[in-house]
Amino acid sequence: MMSVTEMFSYIQGFLSADQDIREDIRKVVQALEQIAREILTVLQSVHQPSGFKEIPSKCAKARELFCTVRTHIADLKTKFPVEQYYRFHEHWRFVLQRLTFLAAFVVYLETETLVTREEVAQILSIEVVREKGFHLDVEDYLAGVLIMASELSRLAVNSVTAGDYNRPLRISNFINELDSGFRLLNLKNDPLRKRYDGLKYDVKKIEEVVYDLSIRGLAKEPESGGDK
Amino acid sequence: MSKREGEGCPKRRAEAVQDGDMTSSPVIAAFKVFQQELDTKHDKYERLVKISRDVTIESKRTIFLLHRVTSVPDVEDVLKESDVKLDGVRQKIGQIAEELRGEDINQFHRAFTPGVQEYVEAVSFQHYIRHRTLISLEEINARLVFMKAEKVDPKGSADSLPMGAQVLTFQVMPSDYLLGVADLTGELMRMCISSVGNGDIDTPFQLSQFLRQIHDGFSYIGNTGPYEVSKKLHTLRQSLGKVEDACYTLRVRGSEIPKHMLADVFSSRAALIDPDEGVA
């Protein structure tokens, strides 16, 4: 039979153990955020007029930096029991979404395709399914993809400035496909839904770029070549 | 901002389908998988919310029932009745455990935490009335073990052995326990006031002592606990203050006021207590 005092100190034991874990996680997550910013800086240069030619080298550089990401994530995995992923999820949710975005952006720049969840997991050296360990939650993956969509709408604008008139058309097709994909989802009123609501503005912006290009006959799209 | 465009704009989509049929694209195929995964998760979440709501309602009813102990001659009858009710609640918690089988509990914690807290409140209230002590987390968890007779697939015909009882457990999280116990103090305060009203002089003093212990316990935890605990600590202080005031009044004036008048003195005090606190 436990007294009230004993009971509370027993619970307190739980709570401080929990706090210690959170402290450890926070440290690793900080390191991850740091490296994510570095990768972003590398990739940001593609928006520069001169950066368009350097896309392959920038992507290669980014992929190198992902090695460090993998080390940090390996470190993160050791900080808590794997079956308690969602207990501490909020701590790395943000950075994992950023990293997904960065991975998706690299893959898009390289191949102009949408990164799969499996590919992201591979780049970050984590799992896809929860049962296998530290994994990429589907909502975080989708959030990362949405961040990339707004980055691409910016890229469309800047590629026109840099004189690349075809890229916006390709981006437009890509984003439209993404939009159709997201329309399939029944999103609840949650952060992901909120972020998805922003996608239409990205779509709109890219459409405007494509419009500007096509009325000036700058876009060399096979089918829409007739409009003047 | 306009609302989300629903299915109402097929034009743009038709435009996007320049490069052949979209339905076979890998992107769409991938999103169909995501759709399924998200729907499954949301469905489970909703089911848990619903069970949790039932757990809350039944626990609240048990608490109302238990408040009658101050005014009925046979306490044991009320306790027995509450046992039956709590068994029902536990069965519902068994359903939660069933839903969570193979899942990460923390992923769905938000769905069922209100119900579990209310259950902790009810079960600890009953425990206090019976034993005059605080129920421990272990004692609560020990009663949340469920035997489920494994249902064998219909195709597994007669020769398949009955898999035997399968043990399913539900573990109340320490934070839910704490929050439930914090709510308990509101009930104890009510019990104190109403027992005074019934001319019971001993219970208020026992209660004030118990509440003080709990208060000290919470002060010990302080801000190491979850955020909601510090919020509840404020209400707890108020409850404790009311109980201490009641004991004070009893001590000072108890000998002066005739027993039959005590009820009036305290019912007017109890009316000053905000009606909505302690209920949540």
Side-chain angles (χ1 to χ4, degrees), chain A residues 215-227:
Chain A
I215 57 164
R216 290 170 180 82
L218 292 170
K220 284 175 279 172
E221 204 182 13
E223 275 140 325
S224 58
D227 51 6

Side-chain angles (χ1 to χ4, degrees), chain A residues 72-110:
Chain A
H72 287 315
I73 288 182
D75 191 22
L76 179 60
K77 287 178 196 167
T78 64
K79 301 297 181 199
F80 66 97
V82 67
E83 71 279 2
Q84 296 186 5
Y85 181 93
Y86 283 101
R87 182 166 182 183
F88 307 107
H89 189 194
E90 289 306 318
H91 290 292
W92 56 74
R93 190 165 209 166
F94 176 78
V95 76
L96 211 53
Q97 290 175 2
R98 299 295 292 178
L99 289 168
T100 303
F101 148 59
L102 295 167
F105 197 34
V106 169
V107 170
Y108 179 80
L109 291 172
E110 285 170 349

Side-chain angles (χ1 to χ4, degrees), chain B residues 98-167:
Chain B
E98 185 79 36
E99 287 284 353
L100 292 175
R101 191 207 300 257
E103 302 283 352
D104 184 334
I105 303 178
N106 300 282
Q107 188 175 11
F108 298 98
H109 184 230
R110 279 236 312 274
F112 60 82
T113 173
V116 171
Q117 285 177 33
E118 204 68 29
Y119 169 72
V120 171
E121 182 179 345
V123 86
S124 58
F125 190 35
Q126 194 210 36
H127 186 92
Y128 178 77
I129 292 169
R130 201 170 254 161
H131 306 285
R132 305 278 146 167
T133 56
L134 179 65
I135 195 169
S136 71
L137 183 55
E138 264 89 1
E139 284 169 283
I140 291 178
N141 283 334
R143 303 205 63 174
L144 296 176
V145 177
F146 309 97
M147 297 297 191
K148 276 272 179 305
E150 182 76 10
K151 278 198 186 104
V152 188
D153 278 342
K155 58 179 177 181
S157 63
D159 54 351
S160 66
L161 292 161
M163 289 289 283
Q166 199 195 0
V167 181

Side-chain angles (χ1 to χ4, degrees), chain A residues 7-42:
Chain A
M7 197 56 223
F8 272 92
S9 65
Y10 173 70
I11 298 283
Q12 218 282 327
F14 268 107
L15 295 174
S16 46
D18 194 77
Q19 268 196 335
D20 290 346
I21 294 178
R22 287 176 197 276
E23 207 66 45
D24 286 350
I25 290 173
R26 229 167 278 152
K27 272 182 214 143
V28 187
V29 167
Q30 258 170 23
L32 272 172
E33 279 168 352
Q34 171 66 33
I35 187 79
R37 282 195 297 271
E38 282 172 36
I39 298 175
L40 184 62
T41 313
V42 169

